Amino acid sequence: MKNTIKLLLLGAGLLLIGVIIFVSVLAANDWDYDNFGKRVYVTNEHIIEQNFSNFDFDIEDAHIQFFLSETDEIKVVCLEKEGLEHSVNVTNDTLYVKSSSNKTLLDYIQIDFNRPQIKVYLPTTEYNSLDIEGSIGFVSIGDSWKFNEIDIEVSTGDIRCGAICTGDVEISTSTGKVFIWGFGIEKNLSISTSTGSVFVDDIEVKGNIDIEVSTGKVELENVKCLNLNIEAQTGTTKLLDINCLNKTLINSSTGNVFFNNFYAAEINVNTSTGNVKGTIKSPMDYEASSDTGKVIVPMDQGTNKCIINTNTGDIIITTD
């Protein structure tokens, strides 16, 4: 009986809180039921007259895109919520774009199916550093751009980047897909995502490629790198037309691993549940084992090691 009373009191309290929030939202909208939960969007254009070499975005909720300017003018165009305008300024050789810190309770509880947008128009394509940190929204950087270093981190949203980079590229998203392509990365490429797939296509990475995925597939095609390290918890890993000059290490909990036209000096694959199949072109000395599946690998053709272990799954490797 006492537990029942406690539950009833808790339910009544939550209902009262809901009524208070509902009335507060209506009052903030001048009791206008037609505009209940809606936000007015405005477009603001910022003309940048100072020179800069770096980008620093601190964005809570917006899509970010880069475009080549048709003139010599540098501008940042923001489609944004009225009253929550982004700040845009140049300081210490850096273009800063930052979300407003003026959010109220109303901004968090309003229903909004639109998404703010930030579009950057630039007349030149080469810059020093690109640093983007965001909560919600996609990031799109085409293959016209060149940076010395790239660091992009978002919580929810896809990341597409085809830029040339003379240094390291670090990409991170909690929920979203990652697409990497382009003319090349001079140092290392690091990608991590909790829920989302990773696609890397048509690119040469002079250093290492490190990919960490919790839930999602990993697909690399026509890629050259020094070392390749993939940690995939759940999802298929596909490696097509890959030239890894040194070592490839793949660890997967649940998911198949597929090779096609794959080259590497050393290969080590470990998976708990999943098949390992495909064509490996490198002459290798094979060590393969499966607890509950069949194992078919080529005869030893070299001294470089190819070690493949799976608990539940088949191992079928050919050379053509």
Side-chain angles (χ1 to χ4, degrees):
M1 184 66 179
K2 290 183 178 179
N3 289 335
T4 302
I5 294 175
K6 288 181 180 179
L7 290 174
L8 289 173
L9 291 174
L10 177 61
L14 293 174
L15 179 61
L16 179 60
I17 292 173
V19 170
I20 293 173
I21 292 175
F22 180 78
V23 172
S24 299
V25 172
L26 281 179
N29 283 276
D30 295 325
W31 306 99
D32 186 352
Y33 286 89
D34 292 332
N35 289 320
F36 175 68
K38 294 182 179 179
R39 245 318 185 176
V40 176
Y41 277 77
V42 295
T43 299
N44 291 308
E45 184 176 290
H46 304 265
I47 305 300
I48 308 300
E49 298 181 350
Q50 304 100 310
N51 293 322
F52 59 90
S53 302
N54 308 296
F55 298 87
D56 191 318
F57 292 80
D58 186 359
I59 305 301
E60 185 170 332
D61 180 9
H63 298 321
I64 301 172
Q65 295 174 279
F66 277 47
F67 298 92
L68 276 173
S69 177
E70 296 180 353
T71 67
D72 291 334
E73 190 174 67
I74 301 173
K75 64 181 179 180
V76 179
V77 180
C78 300
L79 174 64
E80 51 201 351
K81 299 175 184 179
E82 189 175 41
L84 294 175
E85 289 81 4
H86 295 82
S87 63
V88 180
N89 62 81
V90 174
T91 306
N92 297 328
D93 198 32
T94 302
L95 173 64
Y96 290 93
V97 182
K98 187 175 182 179
S99 292
S100 171
S101 59
N102 296 326
K103 272 193 171 184
T104 64
L105 175 62
L106 176 63
D107 297 304
Y108 288 101
I109 62 178
Q110 280 185 318
I111 300 172
D112 189 355
F113 296 103
N114 296 313
R115 181 74 62 221
Q117 298 183 29
I118 299 172
K119 296 182 179 181
V120 183
Y121 294 87
L122 303 163
T124 58
T125 59
E126 296 188 17
Y127 296 89
N128 182 40
S129 68
L130 173 64
D131 191 340
I132 298 176
E133 184 174 350
S135 296
I136 301 174
F138 70 72
V139 176
S140 180
I141 311 294
D143 55 17
S144 301
W145 311 99
K146 182 177 181 180
F147 300 93
N148 291 331
E149 58 183 55
I150 298 173
D151 189 347
I152 302 174
E153 180 179 354
V154 300
S155 297
T156 303
D158 295 347
I159 299 173
R160 299 173 182 267
C161 183
I164 299 172
C165 188
T166 59
D168 293 326
V169 176
E170 296 187 16
I171 306 291
S172 175
T173 177
S174 297
T175 304
K177 299 176 182 178
V178 177
F179 301 85
I180 303 294
W181 76 100
F183 296 103
I185 297 172
E186 292 294 323
K187 291 188 179 179
N188 304 306
L189 169 62
S190 176
I191 302 172
S192 66
T193 175
S194 296
T195 304
S197 299
V198 173
F199 303 90
V200 181
D201 298 317
D202 300 318
I203 193 169
E204 179 178 357
V205 179
K206 295 292 181 64
N208 304 327
I209 297 178
D210 293 291
I211 299 174
E212 185 176 352
V213 177
S214 295
T215 303
K217 59 186 177 181
V218 177
E219 291 189 10
L220 277 66
E221 184 171 5
N222 193 24
V223 173
K224 184 177 181 181
C225 63
L226 180 61
N227 293 290
L228 176 60
N229 182 23
I230 298 175
E231 299 277 344
Q233 298 299 317
T234 304
T236 299
T237 298
K238 289 185 178 181
L239 304 172
L240 315 175
D241 297 314
I242 307 299
N243 186 357
C244 179
L245 301 178
N246 195 11
K247 184 176 181 179
T248 293
L249 175 61
I250 302 172
N251 289 312
S252 176
S253 295
T254 304
N256 299 323
V257 178
F258 178 76
F259 297 97
N260 183 57
N261 198 28
F262 187 89
Y263 289 85
E266 184 179 344
I267 302 171
N268 194 321
V269 180
N270 295 284
T271 176
S272 297
T273 304
N275 300 318
V276 181
K277 298 181 177 181
T279 59
I280 296 177
K281 294 293 188 178
S282 310
M284 309 297 292
D285 177 10
Y286 286 91
E287 294 181 11
S289 66
S290 174
D291 293 340
T292 61
K294 58 185 176 182
V295 176
I296 302 174
V297 297
M299 295 181 61
D300 293 343
Q301 299 174 332
T303 58
N304 294 335
K305 288 290 186 180
C306 178
I307 302 172
I308 304 175
N309 297 305
T310 178
N311 293 331
T312 304
D314 298 333
I315 300 173
I316 302 176
I317 300 296
T318 64
T319 58
D320 53 23

